[in-house]
Amino acid sequence: MVSGSSHLSVKIAGVEFSNPVLVASGTFGYGEEYESLFDLSKLGGIVTKSITLEPREGHPPPRTFETSCGMLNAIGLANVGVERFIKEKLPFLKSLKTRIIVNVAGSTVSEYEEVVKRLNRSKGIDMLEINISCPNVKEGGIAFGSKVKSAYECIKAVRKNSSYPIIAKLSPNVTDIVEVAHAVKKAGADAISLINTLVGMAVDVERRRPLLANITGGLSGPAIKPVALAMVWKVAKAVKVPVIGLGGIMNTEDALEFILAGASMIQVGTANFVDPQTSIKIVDGLSEYCKKKGIRKITDLVGKLKAD
Amino acid sequence: MISQFTSSVVSNQKLGEKIFKLTLSSPYISKRAKPGNFVHIKVGSTYSPLLRRAFSVHNVDKQKGSFEVLLKVVGRGTGILSEKSPGDILDLLGPIGKGFSLPQEGKTVMLVAGGMGIAPLWFLLNNLIGKTDKEKLLFFSGAKTEKELLYCENLKDLGANLMVTTDDGSFGTKGLITDLFLKEIKGRKNDSSKLMVYSCGPPEMLKRMSEISKGYDLSCQISLEGNMACGVGACWGCPVKLENGWYKRVCVDGPVFDAREVVLE
């Protein structure tokens, strides 16, 4: 359930959102973790942690490390698995007056298909986001998203099996993200979200050891915003598909940068850790910006970067 | 219930080498925090340092509506916090986590603190005083040097049986606090069921406490630290491995765990 349209409402792939602000997968758990901190119904939508077929315990610690204006993580897709997600986590999400996007991950194409099939039978889901870009697992994730052919095949298989509109979440760890975006569009993706984290690492020089047990991890936070913004701009310009921008968004101005660069919606990720209310502060900030500038609808701003 | 709020600094007192005690105004925390709970503090308004820093609630003053955190300067985040002055405003999340379970009546209670590990145990001790027989209350306090040893005088005044070690022998017995604790346990053959142990300290110390607890089947609650990002259970960035091979989150499933349940590396 989402309340009526306003100057912030956005419609992508036939799904109407009360505002363009989503919280990013992996940074907002299953929603319930933030319940006591603000009214979750104010969000445009919640993207869940990645869900796999079986429960996953994730990588050994340390799984996170703070870097300059950012952080590294190698969680390893720790999650409760699709069955427990449906039984234990979805009822709470369903009760919220906001859109629910379930993020799906797998080690093989058939695992993605199987998770999607099980989710098809559940009510209360508005969209799926397909994670073909996790940099921290050996199989699946980025293994699909970093090659044009496998990204196409994975999204095509999911599209065939999903009763929901699907968002393909792309990795920045590629030579040409536009090529991958074209491929997933051709495979039937209804929208594209980008970017997932950038592969990075940090070293403890005293112990001469990596600071993450997984050695490398995914870099997120304000440090990656310029990279994300450039990729959103390139993809939005080249591919006719709604783009959801994310990567280091910390405030309203950051969100507006992504919207002007071509993002129809945005996701707040690492900023949830810094200030859990970042996303709803951005909702209010976008509303104020529209009023101040006399903008009737936020969608009028999408891609309005004057780059000529 | 975890809440987000702002809190003003009441005082900032230097207690030892790079060690500071911040008193923060918060009727909410002073009323609700239990020993073992922590708060997640936003260090500043810039992006570096970016993430919040977690601190055990060190004590509360319900009358004044304030609470304390103990911090040691180890990096930029703690460095910035150590320079806070009365009146400065901080953004906090708290109280967070499952705290210590209080001991059953009649148990002999041992608190084993290493370095800054005294932070949550001091709050616990203040809750135990008056409820636990003084003869049955033992406090083990260890630090690297005398300069990092806190509250020895206060602990004596409180009437706790105090045992102290320093790594360099500058105060108390020279050696590790876990060795002194183990000696005490060995001297109390067959009465492990009558003991309740609480511990907090650096990782290698808690690993030893976990080994001793498993070896002697001691009921021992340890308060852990982890690299936390969210601090509210959402990101799974701060796991601790369990004996059954799975993980729990230090932030909301802990930070207090049964020392026999966890595998520390």
Side-chain angles (χ1 to χ4, degrees), chain A residues 246-289:
Chain A
L246 72 151
I249 295 176
M250 300 296 286
N251 54 41
T252 303
E253 197 178 321
D254 293 342
L256 284 164
E257 286 188 61
F258 277 81
I259 291 168
L260 288 169
S264 300
M265 301 187 77
I266 60 106
Q267 294 183 5
V268 175
T270 300
N272 295 317
F273 305 154
V274 179
D275 178 358
Q277 299 194 43
T278 303
S279 49
I280 56 166
K281 284 179 181 167
I282 292 176
V283 173
D284 291 342
L286 291 176
S287 188
E288 270 171 45
Y289 180 84

Side-chain angles (χ1 to χ4, degrees), chain B residues 114-132:
Chain B
M116 294 298 287
I118 201 165
L121 296 178
W122 178 249
F123 186 17
L124 176 66
L125 180 70
N126 280 284
N127 270 250
L128 295 174
I129 297 288
K131 290 176 200 154
T132 305

